[in-house]
Amino acid sequence: MRVFLLAGEPSGDRLGGALMEGLKTLVPDVEFDGIGGPLMQAQGLVSRFPMAELSVMGLVEVLPKYFHLKRRIAETAQAVLETKPDVMITIDSPDFSLRVAKLVKAESNIRTVHYVAPSVWAWRPGRADKMAKVIDHVLALLPFEPPYMERAGMECDFVGHPVVSEPVATEAEIAGVRQAHGLGEAPVLLALPGSRRGEVDRLAPVFGEALRLHLAAHSDMRVVVPSVAHVAEQVLEHVRDWPGDPVVVDPRGMSADEAASHKRAAFAAADLALAASGTVSLELAAQATPMVIAYKVSWLTQKIAERMVKLDTVTLVNLVSDTRAVPECLGPVCQPDRIAARLAEVQADPQAQAEAMRLTMERLGRGGEAPGLRAARAVLDRMPG
């Protein structure tokens, strides 16, 4: 069996790595091709070009890279058509993935699977109908998503989220990270300003000032900043003037397993986290780390989003648990003083989010079959013939 996979950012790389591991379990002689990051490469993928080229978010932010991305779309679609895989699996990054799928479907009947349902329950519900023209099967991360996809004419399976099957940090791992970075017994504040270059540039200065305000009243705290490899140098540059003698957990030079161990240990060691919006809220919930979510985009992207988004929260822990336990500072409210106030509230009552985080993990499949294996089984079970 030959599978072409396409992921465009670290969260997709994590999903792809777990899916590939599941496929190898069920079909030992499976062959992989496509684009992915270090976790997918650790499962045997030789990426056709660096995944980081696709890690662009925001309607305005894409414009400077438009022609380069358009070339990559054409190149990727041509590679699929030439290699004729049994199935093409696109993972999130819909602006790139679905354009590739459109070109592939226009010239072939290659089966297409998209991993991560679009958030049509939040904004732009018409995306499901448009997607159904080029996608045969959807793998959904959230339990309430399949009906939206099925109504548009696609097959869809809820497969859970790989975060629920990732290991919880051990006491030994936590102690090791504390020792390696000279943290001692100090309370830890985790700062996560994003995994994309644009996010880091927008959020890191705001996060730094928010931390300065918070640490004025909590001077014993140490700031720890886990990073992904392709923005690590950028993060190091930004945090030089941050308070709290910040420690950057830099995965460059580490194996995939070592980097994952350091990251989860840093998450678990933290008493509190300030994070960009995204999958990271689930990773924090998996380690039971209370959090504040802060995020902003360009002015124009913000104004467009305000007209289109239908929900009052963007944080996955809030959505899956059907609570509003995790405070958010979004858009115009993503200001240092507002963020610092929310950090103070969470630090004063860190258990307030505990039940929402537990419920989120339960609803996403913790305790059941590994989501990567579930996703692999869903792909195979729906294959024609």
Side-chain angles (χ1 to χ4, degrees), residues 34-74:
I35 297 96
L39 297 178
M40 293 170 69
Q41 291 169 35
Q43 294 296 328
L45 179 72
V46 177
S47 188
R48 285 178 171 261
F49 56 82
M51 184 189 73
E53 292 187 21
L54 307 182
S55 295
V56 184
M57 184 176 182
L59 302 173
V60 176
E61 292 77 2
V62 169
L63 291 177
K65 298 188 176 183
Y66 173 77
F67 291 107
H68 177 71
L69 290 171
K70 191 172 181 180
R71 282 194 299 273
R72 287 302 197 194
I73 289 167

Side-chain angles (χ1 to χ4, degrees), residues 234-245:
Q234 190 178 1
V235 169
L236 284 164
E237 182 67 30
H238 275 290
V239 306
R240 282 177 182 165
D241 297 324
W242 280 17
D245 191 16

Side-chain angles (χ1 to χ4, degrees), residues 174 177-178 181-191 211 214-215 218 220-226 244 247 249 265-274 289-290 347:
I174 295 170
V177 161
R178 281 188 170 276
H181 298 292
L183 299 174
E185 296 301 318
V188 170
L189 201 169
L190 211 65
L211 295 175
H214 185 72
L215 267 62
H218 303 276
D220 59 333
M221 296 194 86
R222 292 291 304 279
V223 174
V224 175
V225 192
V247 168
V249 181
F267 277 43
D271 299 273
L272 176 64
L274 170 60
T289 305
Q347 185 157 353

Side-chain angles (χ1 to χ4, degrees), residues 126-148:
R127 284 179 294 164
D129 293 329
K130 185 176 180 180
M131 185 170 153
K133 296 176 182 178
V134 297
I135 296 296
D136 302 308
H137 180 200
V138 179
L139 304 174
L141 303 187
L142 305 178
F144 52 80
E145 291 178 320
Y148 292 94

Side-chain angles (χ1 to χ4, degrees), residues 68-326:
H68 177 71
L69 290 171
K70 191 172 181 180
R71 282 194 299 273
R72 287 302 197 194
I73 289 167
E75 289 173 15
T76 304
Q78 188 60 37
V80 176
L81 293 169
E82 289 175 357
T83 58
K84 297 182 174 63
D86 296 292
V87 60
M88 179 181 76
I89 304 175
T90 53
I91 307 169
D92 211 359
S93 302
D95 290 333
F96 188 88
S97 296
L98 299 183
R99 283 174 171 81
V100 172
K102 182 178 180 180
L103 294 176
V104 169
K105 279 297 191 184
E107 300 291 336
S108 74
N109 62 354
I110 292 170
R111 183 166 176 78
T112 53
V113 177
H114 191 68
Y115 198 172
V116 184
S119 304
V120 296
W121 35 268
W123 69 304
R124 288 173 58 198
R127 284 179 294 164
D129 293 329
K130 185 176 180 180
M131 185 170 153
K133 296 176 182 178
V134 297
I135 296 296
D136 302 308
H137 180 200
V138 179
L139 304 174
L141 303 187
L142 305 178
F144 52 80
E145 291 178 320
Y148 292 94
M149 302 297 102
E150 291 165 349
R151 274 199 292 271
M154 293 172 283
E155 299 169 334
C156 186
D157 293 293
F158 165 61
V159 297
H161 197 293
V163 73
V164 303
S165 61
E166 292 174 359
V168 174
T170 66
E171 291 298 324
E173 285 178 315
I174 295 170
V177 161
R178 281 188 170 276
Q179 182 177 6
H181 298 292
L183 299 174
E185 296 301 318
V188 170
L189 201 169
L190 211 65
L192 297 139
S195 60
R196 304 177 184 93
R197 292 184 175 89
E199 287 176 336
V200 173
D201 284 340
R202 282 193 307 275
L203 295 178
V206 179
F207 279 27
E209 287 306 308
L211 295 175
R212 197 178 308 281
L213 293 171
H214 185 72
L215 267 62
H218 303 276
S219 58
D220 59 333
M221 296 194 86
R222 292 291 304 279
V223 174
V224 175
V225 192
S227 182
V228 292
H230 67 273
V231 296
E233 195 62 41
Q234 190 178 1
V235 169
L236 284 164
E237 182 67 30
H238 275 290
V239 306
R240 282 177 182 165
D241 297 324
W242 280 17
D245 191 16
V247 168
V248 175
V249 181
D250 184 347
R252 292 176 297 178
M254 298 182 189
S255 68
D257 287 344
E258 185 182 10
S261 173
H262 277 247
K263 181 178 178 180
R264 65 174 171 262
F267 277 43
D271 299 273
L272 176 64
L274 170 60
S277 175
T279 309
V280 69
S281 73
L282 299 182
E283 297 177 84
L284 290 165
Q287 303 295 338
T289 305
M291 71 195 86
V292 172
I293 299 298
Y295 201 76
K296 67 176 182 178
V297 291
S298 69
W299 179 86
L300 181 56
T301 299
Q302 175 67 32
K303 290 302 177 184
I304 294 170
E306 287 173 359
R307 297 175 64 89
M308 301 174 74
V309 175
K310 300 187 291 182
L311 295 176
D312 65 341
T313 181
V314 300
T315 301
L316 290 170
V317 172
N318 288 343
L319 289 166
V320 176
S321 66
D322 196 23
T323 70
R324 298 298 180 263
V326 176

Side-chain angles (χ1 to χ4, degrees), residues 322-345:
D322 196 23
T323 70
R324 298 298 180 263
V326 176
E328 299 171 322
C329 295
L330 307 176
V333 186
C334 185
Q335 300 292 336
D337 57 338
R338 299 287 192 97
I339 296 169
R342 301 291 84 76
L343 287 170
E345 291 170 2

